[in-house]
Amino acid sequence: MFALGGRIVWRGKFELTLIGPTDECWDHCFIAEYPSVAAFVEMIRDPAYREAVKHRQAAVEDSRLIRLEPGEAGAAFG
């Protein structure tokens, strides 16, 4: 992640779901930013990453990986 310019831009501890499935609880949440889609793809194709991710997947019950496109912040929602 860091070798290709990725970085954690936000991290936090789950407290409460306000809107969404009430049966989902998360231990850790974070937002990572990569310099480009190509850098992210390079990371997930790297053999060392692919080996390490096996251990992460075995250690967690559930996870989400969601790709987002940056948008402009504004005064209104939506």
Side-chain angles (χ1 to χ4, degrees):
M1 169 185 215
F2 302 111
L4 297 169
R7 66 188 185 102
I8 302 292
V9 295
W10 180 90
R11 87 176 62 208
K13 186 174 186 303
F14 175 84
E15 289 184 345
L16 172 70
T17 297
L18 299 173
I19 299 172
T22 57
D23 61 337
E24 289 188 353
C25 294
W26 302 98
D27 293 319
H28 302 283
C29 299
F30 67 91
I31 297 173
E33 178 181 62
Y34 294 84
S36 66
V37 172
F40 179 80
V41 170
E42 182 178 346
M43 178 189 74
I44 63 172
R45 288 183 175 165
D46 180 84
Y49 174 84
R50 294 174 74 82
E51 186 60 32
V53 81
K54 291 178 191 176
H55 301 290
R56 186 192 76 210
Q57 290 171 332
V60 300
E61 183 177 333
D62 199 1
S63 66
R64 302 286 186 272
L65 177 60
I66 303 167
R67 181 177 171 204
L68 303 170
E69 180 180 339
E72 294 295 322
F77 183 77

